[in-house]
Amino acid sequence: TACALVQRRARSGSARSGPSPSAAMDLSVLGEALKATQLPDGEARKQAEALLDKAAAEQPDQLVAALCQLVKASPNEVPDALRQEAAVILRQLVEGLPTRDPVWGNLKAETKAAAKALVLESIKSEPSNVVRRAVGQVVAAIASDDAEDIDDLEKDWPELLLTLAQLTSPSSEVSIRIVALGILRDIATTVGDGFFRDENRKSSVAMLASTLSDASPEVRSAGAQLILTLVETVHTDSLVSKGQDEETAPFVKVVPELVSVIQGFANSLNEEQLRETLEVLIQAIESDADFFKSCGCVQDMSETLIKIASVGSEAFGSEDIRHSAMEALMALTVNLATDVAQPDGLPLLEAVLQLNIQWMTEVEEDVDLWVKEGKDKDEDDVDDDVVGIGEENLDRIGESFDEEVFLPILFKVIRSVTMRPEATWKIVRSCVMAVAQVVEHLTEDSVDQCVEFVLSYPEHEHPRVRYAAFWALSQICYDQSPHVQDAYCERLLPVIVTGINDTNVRVATSAVAAFVACGEELDSDDLEEYIDDLLMHLFNRLHAAEAQALQEQCLSGIALIAEAGDELFTPYYSKVMPMLKQVIASCTREEQRSLHGKALECVAMIGCAVGKEVFMSDAKEIMESMLPLARQGLEADDPRREAWHEAAGKIAETLGKDFKPYVSALLPSIFKVLQQKPTQSAADIVDDDDSEDEQLRLLGLKTSVLDEMEEALEFMDTLIEALQEDFCDFLPDSCRMLLALLDSTLSESLRAKVFGTWEFMVASARTAVSQNRMDVSALRELVTEFLRKTVGAMMSAAGSADKVDEDICWKLHAQAAGMAGVVKKAGEGVLSKDCVKDVATLIVQMLDKIPCNKDTPSEPGLTRRRGGPAPEEDSDGEEKELEEKEDMSTQSVRFKLTEVAGALMRANREDFCEVVLPTYMELLKSLVRPERSELDRCLGFYMADDAVACLGEKSVSYWNGFMNEALAGMVDKCPVIRQYAASTIGNGATQPVFAPVAPAAASQIHKVLQKQGERHRRRRAIKTESLQVALAVDSCIRALGQICEHHEKQLGNDAATVWSLWLTNLPIKYNLDAGKAAHLQLIELVTRSHPILTSAACFPRIGAIFADIYRSKFSSSDVDKRLQEIVANLPADVLAGMCANFSDRQKKKIEQMAKKGSAADES
């Protein structure tokens, strides 16, 4: 057998030492090897492939010649399947494989010439269609390898295009024409533009037109696909341009015929040809939608696609046809969104919306089946695929069109379809889901219309409509938080309470999910009226155990009430805790693991809400039940793993130092996870969709293992933070483990987590020193050893490569961030003067050494610097990534290196000033000079901002080198320069010596706010460029407040106007650091009864600012308490007057502050 023959040759000495030319290329042996590559026997296949790889490496000419002989052999001598495989291997030798380098470029000229002649002849004479198609792919591979453009191809293989011209003519056989057209399509990137040169245009267009009118549907399909591939690869101007006639604009006539071909395929049910053509059409539209606009066929094409997509599922044998038609239609719509949004394009948008809503009606009608199949996982797998496609398409439309364009048309369609006499519950459900899909893309002004619409249906007679209504409310609450909760809480909660008690278990599940989404932004005041009913229904549903998905949602709802309700939940503790223990004990089956995890999380959240004293005894019992899982370890795919860490971490936070007895049992399992080593090749685990972990190609770790290691480090951080100085008993073993990780090759995210854990350990050690639990020398040794390792790794990384590529940048950036964090956490007086000098000297040297070429962006990364934007959250409460991925650059590294210097300034101020400051300031002054590059000036002002903030009066003697430059930099064209120049000015304003320049600085800021202030207040910055501008404006606002506070006298008669300008531009809503500082400053000034700010004219504005920042990202728990105190102490008439013109949301915030503040006073 072929298998036995290959195995014998693999074991033979000749196979090991290399076959002789005659033996290796023996056609029968080669044929047997090819057979073996197709066998299910993995070992035989692997040995056959090894023989081919060896022959390709050692005797490529003989191997290619032998394969050609097999391809041209008679079907009577060699089966078609084997000849087809020979052609496939031949193509792989031309193109290469991951495990086999291409050999075509290394072949002798005579071998290439013979192979070219043979494959061209095979196209014409080969009797087997499958072999001919495989040979056609070889032809295309050779052409693509030999030539970059049509001139190269005509020079290196002049016979090819002449032969293809003959083979595509109507006189050739259908099967030959199809293969020839396929070759032209495959080499379109090489020959495309040359197709339409003056000397070729007429014949090329005639050939293409003839294929579209051919009697054979296969030829018409091949011709259509070639045309569409040319659209994808050839510049539009070469194909069609306004004002050109048919002779000079070749596709003016061809494209209408193309549309007719697609229509004909649909009408005559040529399904295979229609499916293949639609797939290529999608690629062409995605690549160059403007082409279809330029040739004036958008309307005809869209009408054709709508017709195909509108038919029922029974119209075609394959659902792929409808799917592809819809995808092509969507691609045309969203890629031409600007044109479709114009008045003459709106009918297309309306038709697309209506079609997608119609698709969303193809849901399962059997309610019992829908409940049975979906109740435990709360999924709608019983519905047709087109339902999900329609929903995704609504989301795409919402993302691609302005709400002013699509929302009125969407509601027009909704009114139209729901008012028809034949409208069923399916139509209503589709419309509700359509609204839910687009709400993410709306502003607050438009959301109200959606909420009002959805609130009409939670009591609809059909359970699937009720389910959809609650699902939509969940989406609206997540996507439009906190506006919806603030405006609709009192209407939503009664509806949700009713829904939780619904007789249909899936509707109840959806209602609880809506409560969880809504409740994320509620507090005890919002819940107080409904807490009895909510908890009663949630307890009952949990205890009834009707469906696992419902139980899990109930657990989330109970945990949320515990967290938001504060002391309101305590009376319910004794009832719910036994129930939760029962749920935990009952989760014995594998499919209940996620329920088990949810129950653990719920217990932990409740414990945190009621406090250590109430929770202690139950906490011990719960932890005893959790420890066996920790000891045995949780598999990477175990849904309890993340929940277990969350629960244990939350219990640790609640118990604090009383959690210590469990740490000795938990650390070994953490260390075991962190000791994992590479176990799998990178080629097996690279996932193109997982951009965050692209660096796994350099590692041998699975993504799941990395996730497990990151979770272990996060859990370790929680333990350290809970135990504080008591963790010092576990520091020796922890340090040994973390030091070992510093020597490992890690992914970016895991490396950052390791450095973060080092910061927690150093902070714990610092606290232990302050509590006399640890000698300062031990902390110094710990920090010094960390710095020694990290500095050595940085020098190695920076010095071992010819250039600093992105991988090295990631390493250096993480190392610098880790150093800065550890030095900050170590605090004052830990590092020796020599250590400060050594580290600072390294930083200055690396700043000078690391290059930034002219293409490097000035922006180091919005999330990689001080003064970045406040993070946005997704529907799960996780931080959203920026819409535009930020590349790591040498500028990112340079910015982070200066933060190490900043940490040294804070931790060892006197030593830094003595041994480092002069050199550091000389570098700073050189960087901010006007003649330096934008990159350098950005870095220089970043350094200046930190130096002035850290060193205060000790920086003043150096101001002549950069303060005037900062004053000018506030109006620079680069927003990064503007931001840090303004921040430098603001920090400088805290020094008395700044007084003479205060008026000039205020004037510069006035220019900025006069130009950008109004837009800044109204617009929502999302893109990186607009965020940069917004951050710079926020820095100016912050600086203006500092100037007003510290140099009010210098502003003279303009002081009140400048204060008013500052208030007008508050609150700060982008720059997190500047916002928190400015808002705290305002509170301090009001508390001190600043005469201008507490005047009757200013107080309403200040009240509005307080309302906007309360419980926001730009506040904190301490700031919220101070706001509550201020508002609670205001006289009732003053409070009423202040709120007279407030929005409902602002009034509610003021009421919450007053109530909380009064309660705090009473207690």
Side-chain angles (χ1 to χ4, degrees), residues 21 296 343 405 719 1123:
V405 174
L719 298 181
L1123 290 172

Side-chain angles (χ1 to χ4, degrees), residues 1021-1039:
I1022 298 176
K1023 301 293 185 181
T1024 296
E1025 185 177 346
S1026 58
L1027 271 172
Q1028 288 172 333
V1029 173
L1031 294 171
V1033 174
D1034 280 349
S1035 285
C1036 285
I1037 298 168
R1038 165 66 176 145

Side-chain angles (χ1 to χ4, degrees), residues 140-156:
I142 294 173
S144 298
D145 187 85
D146 275 359
E148 293 185 2
D149 55 33
I150 196 169
D151 293 330
D152 286 348
L153 193 59
E154 289 177 337
K155 176 183 176 182
D156 295 337

Side-chain angles (χ1 to χ4, degrees), residues 929-945:
R929 290 172 183 160
E931 67 270 16
R932 294 296 290 262
S933 69
E934 186 176 282
L935 285 159
D936 286 345
R937 294 175 65 226
C938 288
L939 179 66
F941 285 117
Y942 193 70
M943 295 166 64
D945 174 37

